Coordinates of all heavy atoms in Angstrom, one line a residue:
K1 N -83.1 -89.4 -96.4 CA -83.8 -88.4 -97.2 C -84.9 -87.8 -96.4 O -85.7 -88.5 -95.7 CB -84.4 -89.1 -98.4 CG -84.7 -88.2 -99.6 CD -85.1 -89.0 -100.8 CE -83.9 -89.8 -101.4 NZ -84.2 -90.5 -102.6
G2 N -85.0 -86.5 -96.4 CA -86.0 -85.7 -95.7 C -85.6 -85.4 -94.3 O -86.3 -84.6 -93.6
R3 N -84.5 -86.0 -93.8 CA -84.0 -85.7 -92.4 C -82.6 -85.0 -92.4 O -82.4 -84.2 -91.6 CB -83.9 -87.0 -91.6 CG -85.2 -87.8 -91.5 CD -85.0 -89.0 -90.6 NE -84.1 -89.9 -91.0 CZ -83.0 -90.3 -90.4 NH1 -82.7 -89.8 -89.2 NH2 -82.1 -91.2 -90.9
F4 N -81.8 -85.3 -93.4 CA -80.5 -84.7 -93.5 C -80.4 -83.7 -94.6 O -81.1 -83.9 -95.7 CB -79.4 -85.8 -93.8 CG -79.2 -86.8 -92.6 CD1 -80.0 -86.8 -91.5 CD2 -78.1 -87.6 -92.7 CE1 -79.7 -87.7 -90.5 CE2 -77.8 -88.5 -91.7 CZ -78.6 -88.5 -90.6
T5 N -79.6 -82.7 -94.4 CA -79.4 -81.7 -95.5 C -77.9 -81.4 -95.6 O -77.3 -81.0 -94.6 CB -80.1 -80.4 -95.2 OG1 -81.5 -80.6 -95.0 CG2 -79.9 -79.4 -96.3
I6 N -77.4 -81.6 -96.8 CA -76.0 -81.4 -97.1 C -75.8 -80.0 -97.7 O -76.7 -79.6 -98.6 CB -75.4 -82.5 -97.9 CG1 -73.8 -82.3 -98.1 CG2 -76.0 -82.5 -99.3 CD1 -73.2 -83.5 -98.7
S7 N -74.8 -79.3 -97.4 CA -74.5 -78.0 -98.0 C -73.0 -77.7 -98.0 O -72.3 -78.4 -97.3 CB -75.3 -76.9 -97.2 OG -74.9 -76.8 -95.9
R8 N -72.6 -76.7 -98.7 CA -71.2 -76.4 -98.8 C -71.0 -74.9 -99.0 O -71.8 -74.2 -99.5 CB -70.5 -77.2 -99.9 CG -71.0 -76.8 -101.3 CD -70.5 -77.8 -102.3 NE -69.1 -77.8 -102.5 CZ -68.4 -78.7 -103.2 NH1 -69.1 -79.7 -103.7 NH2 -67.1 -78.6 -103.3
D9 N -69.8 -74.4 -98.5 CA -69.4 -73.0 -98.7 C -68.1 -73.1 -99.4 O -67.0 -73.3 -98.7 CB -69.3 -72.3 -97.3 CG -69.0 -70.9 -97.5 OD1 -68.4 -70.5 -98.5 OD2 -69.3 -70.1 -96.5
N10 N -68.0 -73.0 -100.7 CA -66.8 -73.1 -101.4 C -65.8 -72.0 -101.1 O -64.6 -72.2 -101.2 CB -67.1 -73.1 -102.9 CG -67.8 -74.4 -103.4 OD1 -67.6 -75.4 -102.7 ND2 -68.4 -74.4 -104.5
A11 N -66.3 -70.9 -100.7 CA -65.3 -69.8 -100.4 C -64.5 -70.1 -99.1 O -63.4 -69.6 -98.9 CB -66.1 -68.5 -100.2
K12 N -65.1 -70.9 -98.2 CA -64.5 -71.2 -97.0 C -64.0 -72.7 -96.9 O -63.4 -73.1 -96.0 CB -65.5 -71.1 -95.8 CG -65.9 -69.6 -95.6 CD -66.9 -69.5 -94.4 CE -67.3 -68.1 -94.2 NZ -68.3 -68.0 -93.0
N13 N -64.2 -73.4 -98.0 CA -63.7 -74.8 -98.1 C -64.4 -75.6 -96.9 O -63.7 -76.4 -96.3 CB -62.2 -74.9 -98.0 CG -61.6 -74.8 -99.4 OD1 -62.2 -74.3 -100.3 ND2 -60.3 -75.2 -99.5
I14 N -65.6 -75.4 -96.7 CA -66.3 -76.1 -95.6 C -67.6 -76.8 -96.2 O -68.3 -76.1 -97.0 CB -66.7 -75.2 -94.5 CG1 -65.4 -74.6 -93.8 CG2 -67.5 -75.9 -93.4 CD1 -65.7 -73.7 -92.7
M15 N -67.9 -77.9 -95.7 CA -69.1 -78.6 -96.1 C -69.9 -79.0 -94.7 O -69.2 -79.2 -93.7 CB -68.8 -79.9 -96.8 CG -70.0 -80.7 -97.2 SD -69.6 -82.1 -98.3 CE -68.7 -83.1 -97.2
Y16 N -71.2 -79.0 -94.8 CA -72.0 -79.2 -93.6 C -73.0 -80.4 -93.9 O -73.3 -80.7 -95.0 CB -72.8 -78.0 -93.3 CG -72.0 -76.8 -93.1 CD1 -71.9 -75.8 -94.1 CD2 -71.4 -76.5 -91.9 CE1 -71.1 -74.7 -93.9 CE2 -70.6 -75.4 -91.7 CZ -70.5 -74.5 -92.7 OH -69.7 -73.3 -92.5
L17 N -73.4 -81.0 -92.7 CA -74.5 -81.9 -92.8 C -75.4 -81.6 -91.6 O -75.0 -81.9 -90.4 CB -73.9 -83.4 -92.7 CG -75.0 -84.5 -92.9 CD1 -75.6 -84.4 -94.3 CD2 -74.5 -85.8 -92.5
Q18 N -76.5 -81.1 -91.9 CA -77.6 -80.9 -90.9 C -78.4 -82.1 -90.8 O -79.0 -82.6 -91.7 CB -78.4 -79.7 -91.3 CG -79.6 -79.4 -90.3 CD -79.1 -78.9 -89.0 OE1 -78.2 -78.1 -88.9 NE2 -79.6 -79.5 -87.9
M19 N -78.4 -82.7 -89.5 CA -79.1 -83.9 -89.3 C -80.2 -83.7 -88.3 O -80.0 -83.3 -87.2 CB -78.1 -85.0 -88.8 CG -76.9 -85.2 -89.6 SD -75.9 -86.6 -89.1 CE -75.3 -85.9 -87.5
N20 N -81.4 -83.9 -88.7 CA -82.6 -83.8 -87.9 C -83.3 -85.1 -87.7 O -83.1 -86.0 -88.5 CB -83.6 -82.7 -88.5 CG -83.0 -81.4 -88.7 OD1 -82.1 -80.9 -87.9 ND2 -83.4 -80.7 -89.7
S21 N -84.2 -85.1 -86.7 CA -85.0 -86.4 -86.5 C -84.1 -87.6 -86.4 O -84.4 -88.6 -87.1 CB -86.1 -86.5 -87.6 OG -86.9 -85.4 -87.6
L22 N -83.0 -87.5 -85.7 CA -82.0 -88.6 -85.7 C -82.6 -89.8 -85.0 O -83.5 -89.8 -84.1 CB -80.8 -88.1 -84.9 CG -79.9 -87.2 -85.7 CD1 -78.9 -86.4 -84.8 CD2 -79.1 -88.0 -86.7
K23 N -82.1 -90.9 -85.5 CA -82.6 -92.3 -85.1 C -81.4 -93.0 -84.6 O -80.2 -92.8 -84.9 CB -83.2 -93.0 -86.3 CG -84.3 -92.3 -87.0 CD -84.8 -93.1 -88.2 CE -85.9 -92.5 -88.9 NZ -86.3 -93.3 -90.1
P24 N -81.6 -94.0 -83.7 CA -80.5 -94.8 -83.2 C -79.7 -95.4 -84.3 O -78.4 -95.6 -84.2 CB -81.2 -95.9 -82.4 CG -82.5 -95.2 -81.9 CD -82.9 -94.4 -83.0
E25 N -80.3 -95.8 -85.4 CA -79.6 -96.4 -86.5 C -78.7 -95.4 -87.3 O -77.9 -95.8 -88.2 CB -80.5 -97.1 -87.5 CG -81.7 -96.2 -88.0 CD -82.9 -96.4 -87.2 OE1 -82.9 -96.6 -85.9 OE2 -84.0 -96.5 -87.8
D26 N -78.7 -94.1 -86.9 CA -77.8 -93.1 -87.5 C -76.5 -93.1 -86.7 O -75.5 -92.4 -87.1 CB -78.4 -91.7 -87.4 CG -79.6 -91.6 -88.3 OD1 -79.6 -92.1 -89.4 OD2 -80.6 -91.0 -87.9
T27 N -76.4 -93.9 -85.6 CA -75.2 -93.9 -84.8 C -74.1 -94.5 -85.7 O -74.2 -95.6 -86.2 CB -75.4 -94.8 -83.6 OG1 -76.4 -94.2 -82.7 CG2 -74.1 -95.0 -82.8
A28 N -73.0 -93.7 -85.8 CA -71.8 -94.1 -86.6 C -70.7 -93.0 -86.5 O -71.0 -91.9 -85.9 CB -72.3 -94.2 -88.1
V29 N -69.6 -93.3 -87.0 CA -68.6 -92.3 -87.2 C -68.8 -91.7 -88.6 O -68.9 -92.5 -89.6 CB -67.2 -92.9 -87.1 CG1 -66.1 -91.8 -87.3 CG2 -66.9 -93.5 -85.7
Y30 N -68.9 -90.4 -88.7 CA -69.2 -89.7 -89.9 C -67.9 -89.1 -90.5 O -67.1 -88.5 -89.7 CB -70.2 -88.6 -89.7 CG -71.6 -89.2 -89.6 CD1 -72.0 -89.9 -88.4 CD2 -72.5 -89.1 -90.6 CE1 -73.2 -90.5 -88.3 CE2 -73.8 -89.6 -90.5 CZ -74.2 -90.3 -89.3 OH -75.4 -90.9 -89.2
Y31 N -67.7 -89.3 -91.8 CA -66.5 -88.8 -92.5 C -66.9 -88.0 -93.7 O -68.0 -88.2 -94.3 CB -65.6 -90.0 -93.0 CG -65.2 -90.9 -91.9 CD1 -66.0 -92.0 -91.6 CD2 -63.9 -90.8 -91.4 CE1 -65.5 -92.9 -90.6 CE2 -63.5 -91.7 -90.4 CZ -64.3 -92.8 -90.1 OH -63.8 -93.7 -89.1
C32 N -66.0 -87.1 -94.1 CA -66.3 -86.4 -95.4 C -65.1 -86.8 -96.3 O -64.0 -87.1 -95.9 CB -66.4 -84.9 -95.2 SG -64.9 -84.1 -94.5
N33 N -65.4 -86.8 -97.6 CA -64.4 -87.1 -98.6 C -64.9 -86.8 -100.0 O -66.1 -86.5 -100.2 CB -64.0 -88.5 -98.6 CG -62.5 -88.8 -99.0 OD1 -62.1 -88.2 -100.0 ND2 -61.8 -89.5 -98.2
R34 N -64.1 -86.8 -101.0 CA -64.5 -86.7 -102.3 C -65.3 -87.9 -102.7 O -65.0 -89.0 -102.2 CB -63.2 -86.5 -103.2 CG -63.5 -85.9 -104.6 CD -62.2 -85.5 -105.2 NE -61.3 -86.5 -105.5 CZ -60.2 -86.4 -106.2 NH1 -59.8 -85.2 -106.7 NH2 -59.3 -87.4 -106.3
V35 N -66.2 -87.8 -103.7 CA -67.0 -88.9 -104.1 C -66.3 -89.7 -105.1 O -66.2 -91.0 -105.1 CB -68.4 -88.5 -104.5 CG1 -69.1 -89.7 -105.1 CG2 -69.2 -87.9 -103.4
S36 N -65.8 -89.1 -106.1 CA -65.0 -89.8 -107.2 C -63.5 -89.6 -107.0 O -63.0 -88.5 -107.0 CB -65.4 -89.1 -108.6 OG -64.7 -89.8 -109.6
G37 N -62.9 -90.7 -106.7 CA -61.5 -90.6 -106.3 C -61.2 -90.3 -104.9 O -60.8 -89.2 -104.6
V38 N -61.6 -91.2 -104.0 CA -61.5 -90.9 -102.6 C -60.1 -90.6 -102.2 O -59.2 -91.3 -102.6 CB -62.1 -92.1 -101.8 CG1 -61.8 -92.0 -100.3 CG2 -63.6 -92.2 -102.0
L39 N -59.9 -89.6 -101.3 CA -58.6 -89.2 -100.9 C -58.4 -89.8 -99.4 O -59.2 -90.6 -99.0 CB -58.5 -87.7 -100.9 CG -58.7 -87.1 -102.3 CD1 -58.8 -85.6 -102.2 CD2 -57.6 -87.5 -103.2
G40 N -57.3 -89.4 -98.8 CA -57.1 -89.8 -97.4 C -58.2 -89.5 -96.5 O -58.8 -88.4 -96.6
W41 N -58.5 -90.4 -95.6 CA -59.6 -90.1 -94.6 C -59.2 -89.3 -93.4 O -58.1 -89.5 -92.9 CB -60.2 -91.5 -94.2 CG -60.9 -92.3 -95.2 CD1 -60.3 -93.3 -96.0 CD2 -62.2 -92.1 -95.8 NE1 -61.2 -93.7 -96.9 CE2 -62.4 -93.0 -96.8 CE3 -63.2 -91.2 -95.5 CZ2 -63.5 -93.1 -97.6 CZ3 -64.4 -91.3 -96.2 CH2 -64.5 -92.2 -97.2
G42 N -60.1 -88.5 -93.0 CA -59.8 -87.8 -91.7 C -60.2 -88.7 -90.5 O -60.4 -89.9 -90.7
Q43 N -60.2 -88.1 -89.3 CA -60.4 -88.9 -88.1 C -61.9 -89.2 -87.9 O -62.3 -90.1 -87.1 CB -59.8 -88.2 -86.9 CG -60.7 -87.1 -86.3 CD -60.8 -85.8 -87.1 OE1 -60.1 -85.7 -88.1 NE2 -61.7 -85.0 -86.7
G44 N -62.8 -88.5 -88.6 CA -64.2 -88.6 -88.5 C -64.7 -88.0 -87.2 O -63.9 -87.5 -86.3
T45 N -66.0 -88.0 -87.1 CA -66.7 -87.4 -85.9 C -67.8 -88.4 -85.5 O -68.6 -88.8 -86.3 CB -67.2 -86.0 -86.1 OG1 -67.7 -85.5 -84.9 CG2 -68.3 -85.9 -87.2

């Protein structure tokens, strides 16, 4: 909270995550998915 900002562009079917003031504990593979009724996972980044 206060460091990350999530947004979406429904016209383009794209979602974003702006991550600022990153910390070592943010190190991870990041995935996107539906919240209710998770679908197949992508490869992550």
Side-chain angles (χ1 to χ4, degrees):
K1 202 172 293 183
R3 300 187 298 120
F4 290 10
T5 302
I6 188 172
S7 60
R8 65 192 295 167
D9 185 335
N10 288 339
K12 297 181 179 179
N13 275 19
I14 297 179
M15 181 173 66
Y16 303 99
L17 186 68
Q18 178 66 44
M19 305 187 296
N20 298 328
S21 301
L22 282 160
K23 303 176 180 180
E25 51 264 43
D26 295 318
T27 295
V29 180
Y30 284 71
Y31 302 87
C32 60
N33 211 314
R34 200 166 62 172
V35 172
S36 178
V38 169
L39 302 171
W41 295 98
Q43 83 287 351
T45 186

